[in-house]
Amino acid sequence: MNLGLSTRRQNPAIGKPLTAVPQLLSVRTFLVLALCLGAVGFAVYSPSLNFQFVLDDHRFTGDPRIQFPDHVWDYFANYVWAQFTGGPPSFYRPLFLVWLRINFILSAMSPWGWHLLSVVKHLAVAVLLGLLVLRLLRDRTERIGGVGHRARSVDVRGNLGCVASILQVASGRSSKPKSRKKVAQDGPDEEVRSASGVLADCLRRCLLCGTLGEGNSIILPVLIFASALIVPRGENGGADFRVRLRRALRQTVPFLCVTGLYLLMRFHALGGKLASRTQSLPWSTVLLSWPATLWFYVKVLLWPDHSRAFADPTLAQRFSFRGVIMPGLGVACAVAILALALIWAWKKARRDLPPQDTANLEYALVIGTLLLVLPILLTLDLNALNPGDSLHGRYTYLPSAGLMLVLATVWHLSGKLRVPLLCACGLLAVVFTVLVVSQEKQWKDDLTVFTVAHELAPHNAPVAKNLADAHVQVALQLADDGRCSEAMPVFQQVSQEYPQDWYAWAGLGDCFVQLNNLPKAEESLRRAAELSHDSRVMQQWQELRAHMGLPNSAPHD
């Protein structure tokens, strides 16, 4: 392998010399580098193995449908929160529940095991995304493409869902598997190329099931349809639009059928609706809020300088320069830069590369752009999101993969600038790794999560409520340990700020019992029983009344 050398060969499609790009790395070197980066990624996320369950983990791990084996059908027939009284019928994710069941089988109630599976899943996503880049961007003149992308993918953007990995590799152009004899004749390069084709073929079929994973999987048929329209220009002299359209429809039909099945099952699970409305914002507010919403996700994608798991609401009730025009200009600049990069890459590929390689590059650009844009557009349906808490960095999981694919493609075409850009990407990966490490500790327990979230989003009402709940849980533990002098101020403050929080009232009643202030204890437990109708609280309240010589009484709603 000659580093820094280039050769000249004739481009049969355009009849002019084609300058080959210097060979930077062999396939084996790429695989070794991928393993090393995977090890670094695991080291970066390894502190999370010792963290506790946080956020929705408590509900998921305590779900009887996850703990016992006789509820698998319920994953497909009901919504995520169906096991809880009053749970919002807004999420239908059957394969997500299957994944939780697998986690419980392997890890039971061990946070360490659950976190380990999550880290492994995220690293697997990065590996599959790297394989897609290798599959699409390697041409006959070079050994590797997308190394800079790989670094950032592993170290920074590992938080992609499992469906994203299936989508990324399954969307790659797969060739007919070669015989062992043919592979042996072609050498190791072709062996890797053939193996990646077989993997892509297998995962393309897995994608049929992947459409049942998340609501945003509705975009997958669009990606399949778009990819089928991209035909190598050298294939039979190039196919006209009607031929490509027929082929696209033929390849998309299986995915449309599975998507249709998913929608029917979702319609049944959500009680005759395809989506639930969590709030009723007027369309004027929704439209005026779109620029700030999109600008939030642009910042998440481009510079994760701090955690954006939670954010203050950006609803715009009226037209204003700061709330609408400024974020709109920021989004417009980002879109313009993306469009210019795509146009430049598209023209350069058609000018400098042979037909097959050009088709692969065009394919990567189309799929990367769609994967970047379409999931973010789904977040603009503000009436289907949590009131007051509709902005979350996790909505950029799939768009991050699309952005990395676009950047890898641009890097692939950058010619002599590849090495400087690769160095810059490596430096950026180091910076992002430091940022990831510095932000990890905020996820160690609920109190830390919501303390940091409240500092970053002080006007987010759900975050403030969850922070109060986290303080109550800590205070309940103090009360159980007989430290009511420390716990009572928390219970009193939360019960004043959130009068509907029955946990605070129950804890307050328990502390009054320990302090032998029975009238106050009876009043607090009565309030907790009225709010919760929890059998344990009601029994404790009735026993206290009996001890005080009071008759049995039913709580008032």
Side-chain angles (χ1 to χ4, degrees):
M1 179 175 67
N2 296 323
L3 294 177
L5 300 179
S6 62
T7 60
R8 304 280 291 184
R9 63 186 176 89
Q10 193 76 12
N11 186 334
I14 57 180
K16 67 178 183 180
L18 177 68
T19 301
V21 185
Q23 297 179 355
L24 296 179
L25 296 172
S26 69
V27 173
R28 289 188 178 87
T29 304
F30 172 81
L31 295 178
V32 171
L33 180 61
L35 290 175
C36 293
L37 289 174
V40 172
F42 184 85
V44 168
Y45 289 107
S46 60
S48 66
L49 300 180
N50 297 316
F51 293 172
Q52 300 178 16
F53 289 130
V54 296
L55 303 173
D56 296 332
D57 294 347
H58 308 287
R59 290 192 174 187
F60 290 140
T61 55
D63 186 348
R65 299 177 302 174
I66 302 302
Q67 296 182 351
F68 301 100
D70 301 329
H71 301 277
V72 175
W73 172 245
D74 194 51
Y75 302 167
F76 297 86
N78 232 320
Y79 55 92
V80 170
W81 304 114
Q83 79 279 23
F84 299 109
T85 303
S90 56
F91 295 104
Y92 179 67
R93 299 172 178 174
L95 289 190
F96 171 69
L97 294 177
V98 171
W99 168 251
L100 295 182
R101 174 61 184 161
I102 294 173
N103 275 256
F104 187 84
I105 291 173
L106 297 177
S107 305
M109 295 298 290
S110 167
W112 189 92
W114 284 72
H115 296 329
L116 175 63
L117 290 172
S118 293
V119 171
V120 170
K121 179 185 68 174
H122 296 328
L123 294 179
V125 170
V127 170
L128 292 175
L129 192 56
L131 286 176
L132 175 65
V133 173
L134 180 65
R135 173 68 180 163
L136 289 178
L137 302 187
R138 287 178 70 245
D139 57 31
R140 302 179 182 87
T141 67
E142 64 178 326
R143 298 289 184 179
I144 189 63
V147 179
H149 158 259
R150 175 66 185 157
R152 179 171 176 178
S153 173
V154 172
D155 293 335
V156 182
R157 311 308 304 185
N159 295 326
L160 302 177
C162 196
V163 176
S165 66
I166 296 175
L167 171 64
Q168 291 300 300
V169 183
S171 297
R173 292 184 180 275
S174 58
S175 57
K176 183 178 179 180
K178 298 183 179 181
S179 65
R180 293 184 179 180
K181 182 178 180 181
K182 178 63 176 174
V183 170
Q185 293 174 349
D186 291 338
D189 252 14
E190 292 301 321
E191 182 177 359
V192 173
R193 192 171 294 172
S194 178
S196 65
V198 173
L199 179 62
D201 281 337
C202 294
L203 290 179
R204 181 180 290 275
R205 285 149 180 77
C206 292
L207 182 59
L208 288 171
C209 296
T211 54
L212 297 177
E214 296 277 353
N216 57 17
S217 62
I218 199 73
I219 72 171
L220 301 187
V222 178
L223 292 172
I224 299 300
F225 182 83
S227 66
L229 284 176
I230 305 299
V231 179
R233 287 182 291 156
E235 182 180 295
N236 298 326
D240 62 25
F241 178 77
R242 288 179 297 179
V243 174
R244 295 187 332 222
L245 180 61
R246 285 197 296 269
R247 186 181 68 171
L249 291 174
R250 184 173 63 253
Q251 294 186 11
T252 309
V253 163
F255 300 96
L256 288 175
C257 291
V258 175
T259 301
L261 175 63
Y262 166 80
L263 293 176
L264 286 175
M265 296 170 66
R266 180 184 178 94
F267 185 80
H268 169 75
L270 298 183
K273 298 181 293 184
L274 288 178
S276 60
R277 302 286 89 182
T278 58
Q279 53 187 335
S280 300
L281 298 172
W283 269 107
S284 59
T285 298
V286 172
L287 293 175
L288 289 174
S289 302
W290 281 356
T293 300
L294 292 173
W295 180 238
F296 171 81
Y297 292 115
V298 169
K299 291 186 292 185
V300 172
L301 285 166
L302 297 183
W303 190 252
D305 59 325
H306 64 269
S307 174
R308 288 191 171 93
F310 303 93
D312 283 330
T314 56
L315 295 180
Q317 303 293 339
R318 62 182 183 275
F319 188 85
S320 67
F321 180 81
R322 183 173 182 179
V324 179
I325 295 180
M326 286 185 63
L329 290 175
V331 173
C333 290
V335 171
I337 293 173
L338 175 63
L340 290 174
L342 293 174
I343 293 171
W344 173 84
W346 195 282
K347 290 184 176 181
K348 185 173 178 59
R350 293 207 165 200
R351 183 179 65 247
D352 296 344
L353 299 180
Q356 182 60 54
D357 295 337
T358 299
N360 287 341
L361 267 294
E362 292 173 351
Y363 176 89
L365 291 173
V366 169
I367 294 301
T369 303
L370 290 176
L371 197 58
L372 169 63
V373 173
L374 293 182
I376 291 181
L377 294 181
L378 296 178
T379 66
L380 298 181
D381 186 9
L382 301 181
N383 280 320
L385 301 177
N386 192 22
D389 187 35
S390 59
L391 300 177
H392 291 280
R394 66 176 182 268
Y395 296 155
T396 62
Y397 293 169
L398 287 177
S400 295
L403 178 62
M404 295 302 102
L405 186 52
V406 171
L407 292 179
T409 306
V410 173
W411 176 84
H412 177 85
L413 294 167
S414 58
K416 295 181 180 180
L417 294 177
R418 279 185 172 189
V419 173
L421 287 177
L422 184 59
C423 294
C425 287
L427 179 61
L428 195 62
V430 172
V431 173
F432 283 169
T433 299
V434 173
L435 290 173
V436 169
V437 172
S438 67
Q439 295 172 19
E440 269 188 304
K441 293 182 180 179
Q442 75 176 76
W443 298 98
K444 66 178 183 179
D445 54 49
D446 280 323
L447 184 58
T448 307
V449 168
F450 291 112
T451 298
V452 175
H454 188 59
E455 292 173 355
L456 296 174
H459 304 295
N460 188 311
V463 165
K465 178 63 171 63
N466 282 313
L467 177 59
D469 290 341
H471 280 296
V472 167
Q473 293 302 317
V474 174
L476 287 172
Q477 185 60 50
L478 292 175
D480 290 341
D481 295 339
R483 300 163 61 183
C484 278
S485 59
E486 301 174 52
M488 283 192 66
V490 175
F491 294 140
Q492 290 171 338
Q493 179 178 353
V494 173
S495 61
Q496 291 175 3
E497 294 180 355
Y498 302 99
Q500 303 301 311
D501 192 322
W502 68 269
Y503 282 104
W505 288 109
L508 198 58
D510 185 59
C511 279
F512 279 129
V513 169
Q514 294 186 39
L515 297 174
N516 202 32
N517 190 340
L518 300 187
K520 286 287 188 180
E522 191 277 334
E523 179 182 348
S524 299
L525 289 176
R526 175 182 58 79
R527 183 62 175 153
E530 291 174 349
L531 292 171
S532 68
H533 294 282
D534 184 87
S535 59
R536 294 168 299 176
V537 175
M538 295 180 69
Q539 180 180 357
Q540 185 181 10
W541 174 50
Q542 295 294 355
E543 289 176 353
L544 178 61
R545 288 182 63 86
H547 177 75
M548 296 174 64
L550 300 175
N552 287 341
S553 175
H556 301 287
D557 292 331

